[in-house]
Amino acid sequence: MQIGILYSRIRKDEKLLLGELRERGHEVAKIDVRKERFGLESTTADVADLDIVVDRCLSTSRSLYATKFLDSYGVPVVNSPETGDICADKAKNSLALARADIPTPATEVAFTKEAAMEAIEEFGYPCVLKPVVGSWGRLMAKIDTRNAAEAILEHKETLGHYEHKVFYIQEFVDKPGRDVRALAVDGEPVAAMTRSSDHWLTNAAKGGETKSFDLDDRALDLVERASEAVGGGMLGVDLMEVGGTDSGEYTVHEVNHTVEFKALDAASEVDVPAKVVDWLEAKAAAAADGEAAEAHT
Ligand SMILES: Nc1ncnc2c1ncn2[C@@H]1O[C@H](COP(=O)(O)OP(=O)(O)O)[C@@H](O)[C@H]1O
Ligand SMILES: [Mg+2]
């Protein structure tokens, strides 16, 4: 099978994936998005014959455009540009979750600091302000007082670029010092872990301590539905436990589309790259079947 990896930097995650693909004897085409040019009809790289391309771009804008172009050439690509579009933006992400009746933290978006201030005062303190585009816990603010709110909003409005002028305000969820990250492929869970920290941001990238976690039925159902809500693919679903670790109640705060899995692979007993490659093989085979069926009609 010929599998393309669209990347800008080969991190540990990509190494794990490449190692597993090569071990299974697949031909891998590494496509460096920084060197690539995408025309309206074709690309400079020889991607047309690839069975599937996996988008592993670090940069959201590159990821969104490159997958869109590949998709338009008829190359099977994961994740799809549609899924990327929703997951890359926290506002679209929240809307998709809410429309699918998935519990998600109360959220409002406002476009001026006055309107944002009104929302913040209504949520009360603490509440959370997030950039609509971003990851690894960057530029997130837990707002404890009105003074802090005013300062942050003024800084964002004055110094922030375009995306930071969309104020995404969220209720603060009193989670039990950890949150849950589940990796799923088309809704099927691969593995899950908790990320614990004394800090309110528990991201592994922020130093959150990771530990394997068994998803209960409720969490399994939410992961499956959250995946479907954003159009499926290989996704990292982030959940917070509401009302303590034994409550069995969750709220889903986001679904990630170019998901890292090295921390999960290290924390869990599951061979994460093997499961991901199983899924890629199945996806590529299904895409080939679909093409063959189309050729017959
Ligand atoms: N509304 C919230 N209440 C409490 N903690 C939150 C809330 N939203 C996010 N967090 C914490 O911040 C971390 C990062 O938030 P998240 O929305 O996942 O952004 P990122 O895309 O940067 O990972 C989460 O893993 C969680 O620990
Ligand atoms: Mg997150």
Side-chain angles (χ1 to χ4, degrees):
M1 202 163 270
Q2 280 194 302
I3 299 189
I5 305 263
L6 193 66
Y7 75 100
S8 52
R9 202 149 56 77
I10 300 285
R11 300 164 290 177
K12 178 86 191 287
D13 310 79
E14 287 69 43
K15 281 195 185 128
L16 288 168
L17 209 53
L18 287 168
E20 183 66 29
L21 286 166
R22 290 189 176 131
E23 216 167 90
R24 298 192 191 191
H26 295 305
E27 262 180 69
V28 182
K30 287 201 280 177
I31 311 164
D32 183 345
V33 75
R34 293 168 302 179
K35 299 192 179 139
E36 212 47 43
R37 286 155 45 201
F38 297 89
L40 299 180
E41 307 302 332
S42 71
T43 160
T44 51
D46 212 358
V47 296
D49 295 332
L50 294 174
D51 294 301
I52 197 158
V53 174
V54 190
D55 166 34
R56 299 295 306 169
C57 289
L58 264 170
S59 134
T60 301
S61 50
R62 289 171 182 174
S63 164
L64 292 183
Y65 283 105
T67 55
K68 186 89 191 147
F69 275 89
L70 291 177
D71 182 63
S72 83
Y73 306 148
V75 179
V77 57
V78 289
N79 288 328
S80 73
E82 292 79 19
T83 292
D85 182 60
I86 297 174
C87 294
D89 183 307
K90 284 194 165 51
K92 293 180 186 173
N93 214 314
S94 295
L95 273 175
L97 292 169
R99 284 298 77 76
D101 276 331
I102 294 164
T104 191
T107 301
E108 280 189 20
V109 165
F111 304 110
T112 60
K113 63 177 195 293
E114 292 74 23
M117 197 61 225
E118 269 180 40
I120 288 171
E121 288 273 292
E122 252 175 61
F123 274 119
Y125 302 98
C127 65
V128 173
L129 194 59
K130 300 183 185 181
V132 280
V133 177
S135 58
W136 297 326
R138 286 172 306 187
L139 295 174
M140 310 262 291
K142 179 182 171 204
I143 304 176
D144 292 316
T145 63
R146 186 182 171 102
N147 281 337
E150 285 171 353
I152 292 165
L153 293 176
E154 188 181 0
H155 276 76
K156 275 188 175 279
E157 200 169 62
T158 312
L159 302 175
H161 54 76
Y162 161 79
E163 279 152 2
H164 294 119
K165 295 181 171 55
V166 179
F167 299 112
Y168 175 101
I169 305 138
Q170 191 164 75
E171 68 170 311
F172 180 77
V173 176
D174 191 12
K175 62 190 182 299
R178 67 183 200 184
D179 75 346
V180 177
R181 157 61 62 87
L183 179 71
V185 285
D186 284 334
E188 195 182 304
V190 171
M193 64 182 180
T194 51
R195 303 179 293 189
S196 305
S197 177
D198 292 336
H199 199 280
W200 76 279
L201 296 168
T202 60
N203 301 65
K206 285 268 179 196
E209 221 171 272
T210 55
K211 196 165 165 246
S212 177
F213 182 71
D214 288 329
L215 298 169
D216 56 27
D217 288 347
R218 176 99 182 105
L220 285 169
D221 173 60
L222 290 176
V223 167
E224 192 183 338
R225 285 169 50 212
S227 164
E228 203 179 304
V230 301
M234 173 180 156
L235 300 164
V237 182
D238 287 353
L239 311 96
M240 291 185 274
E241 295 153 297
V242 183
T245 52
D246 295 324
S247 70
E249 286 299 317
Y250 300 90
T251 184
V252 179
H253 55 284
E254 69 164 350
V255 183
N256 301 275
H257 71 121
T258 42
V259 59
E260 294 178 339
F261 49 81
K262 60 177 185 294
L264 187 59
D265 187 55
S268 88
E269 298 280 298
V270 177
D271 185 343
V272 174
K275 293 264 187 195
V276 169
V277 171
D278 285 347
W279 173 74
L280 284 175
E281 287 172 342
K283 281 298 253 200
D289 283 352
E291 227 169 74
E294 220 167 86
H296 279 103
T297 53

